[in-house]
């Protein structure tokens, strides 16, 4: 099934301890932004890419897109939109630019290791079930803590670490955003909004390599993942 992509690139890099958007940091001579975007541009089912970025950084996005030497058809699929003060508002701005595709994917530009296989499985599940998110099982023991005191140990067999992409029927995601606005609800991801509609959301196995680059400690790991991937291709 064809889909449209809301690609979030409006981060500020506060936890990265950098004075620039973390997505402009380079891995193997290419910005994180470019690594994250490439798999979607290589997917013929992706008919429209809505890059949500800070208004004063549109020129930076345009610069990196020019460096990618994209074809005319690839360029025609990309649209830039200004982000909001919160992730939820950025996605809402992206949704307002979506066309007629039944399926919408949302992806963090700070996740540079999404694979076509992952996108395939996500789209297949979402097209059948209506809503699907990538996630991996939690490996560590997780405890609920209040004011520094352990309250309980959670059953990790029931815990999943959520990633992006996340995929939804466009109508469902728009309805979820509308309801959240009415209720004054601010979620941490798209699924948290859709959950409030009591819509079943299917888990699609992601990858432990599909990390989100958030802090300086993530960069050495990202370089190691990239090196291993390049080694596998030779």
């Amino acid at each position: 099934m064809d889909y449209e992509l809301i690609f979030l690139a409006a981060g500020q890099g506060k936890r990265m301890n950098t004075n620039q958007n973390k997505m402009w940091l380079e891995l193997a001579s290419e910005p994180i932004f470019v690594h994250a975007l490439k798999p979607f541009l290589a997917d013929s089912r992706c008919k429209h890419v809505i890059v949500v970025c800070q208004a004063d950084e549109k020129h930076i996005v345009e610069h990196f897109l020019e460096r990618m030497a994209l074809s005319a058809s690839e360029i025609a699929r990309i649209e830039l939109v200004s982000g909001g003060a919160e992730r939820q508002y950025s996605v809402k701005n992206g949704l307002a630019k979506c066309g007629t595709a039944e399926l919408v994917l949302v992806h963090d530009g700070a996740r540079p290791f999404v694979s076509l296989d992952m996108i395939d499985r996500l789209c297949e599940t979402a097209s059948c079930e209506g809503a699907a998110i990538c996630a991996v099982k939690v490996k560590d023991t997780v405890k609920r803590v209040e004011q520094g005191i352990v309250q309980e140990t959670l059953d990790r067999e029931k815990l999943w670490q959520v990633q992006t992409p996340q995929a939804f029927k466009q109508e469902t995601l728009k309805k979820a955003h509308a309801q959240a606005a009415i209720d004054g609800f601010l979620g941490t991801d798209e699924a948290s909004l859709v959950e409030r509609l009591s819509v079943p959301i299917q888990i699609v196995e992601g990858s432990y390599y599909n990390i989100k680059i958030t802090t300086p400690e993530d960069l050495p790991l990202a370089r190691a993942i990239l090196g291993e991937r390049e080694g596998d291709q030779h």
Side-chain angles (χ1 to χ4, degrees):
M1 178 184 286
D2 293 341
Y3 64 88
E4 297 182 60
L5 171 70
I6 298 174
F7 186 90
L8 300 175
Q12 297 181 5
K14 292 178 181 178
R15 284 180 287 177
M16 187 58 74
N17 296 327
T18 179
N19 59 1
Q20 64 175 326
N21 189 328
K22 61 191 173 186
M23 274 162 270
W24 312 149
L25 298 175
E26 294 200 344
L27 288 174
S29 302
E30 285 190 331
I32 293 168
F33 164 87
V34 171
H35 288 283
L37 185 59
K38 275 184 173 180
F40 297 100
L41 291 178
D43 188 356
S44 61
R45 295 166 302 179
C46 183
K47 301 302 182 183
H48 186 196
V49 177
I50 303 160
V51 178
V52 185
C53 59
Q54 296 178 40
D56 60 356
E57 291 191 336
K58 285 187 178 181
H59 68 286
I60 299 176
V61 174
E62 290 168 347
H63 168 71
F64 287 132
L65 292 176
E66 288 175 5
R67 275 180 49 179
M68 292 176 72
L70 301 173
S71 67
S73 62
E74 287 173 327
I75 293 172
R77 289 156 60 192
I78 300 173
E79 180 176 2
L80 305 189
V81 176
S82 296
E86 301 286 348
R87 173 201 178 92
Q88 184 168 313
Y89 307 143
S90 291
V91 173
K92 186 176 181 180
N93 291 352
L95 268 174
K97 296 294 184 178
C98 283
T100 59
E102 186 177 1
L103 203 61
V104 173
L105 270 62
V106 181
H107 186 60
D108 293 317
R111 290 189 188 272
F113 301 120
V114 62
S115 66
L116 276 173
D117 172 67
M118 199 182 306
I119 296 169
D120 286 344
R121 290 183 282 109
L122 185 72
C123 287
E124 181 179 356
T125 303
S127 63
C128 294
E129 306 295 338
I133 60 175
C134 289
V136 291
K137 286 187 175 182
V138 169
K139 294 180 178 181
D140 298 325
T141 296
V142 179
K143 298 184 183 293
R144 185 174 65 84
V145 177
E146 292 182 11
Q147 298 181 336
I149 304 297
V150 172
Q151 303 298 311
E152 64 175 319
T153 301
L154 303 179
D155 182 0
R156 67 182 177 190
E157 291 302 314
K158 297 179 180 179
L159 298 176
W160 290 73
Q161 183 176 330
V162 176
Q163 306 176 337
T164 66
Q166 299 188 2
F168 308 92
K169 295 291 179 67
Q170 184 176 164
E171 179 183 2
T172 299
L173 189 55
K174 285 184 173 178
K175 183 178 178 181
H177 272 268
Q179 190 62 53
I182 291 170
D183 298 339
F185 176 79
L186 188 64
T188 54
D189 68 349
E190 292 62 63
S192 63
L193 273 63
V194 174
E195 288 164 25
R196 302 177 74 247
L197 301 180
S198 298
V199 172
I201 301 172
Q202 299 293 318
I203 290 290
V204 171
E205 192 89 27
S207 168
Y208 291 105
Y209 283 174
N210 186 27
I211 64 169
K212 184 176 183 180
I213 298 178
T214 305
T215 65
E217 293 80 9
D218 296 326
L219 283 172
L221 176 58
R223 294 188 185 105
I225 292 171
L226 189 61
E228 183 170 329
R229 277 189 159 193
E230 291 176 346
D232 289 343
Q233 294 172 0
H234 293 92

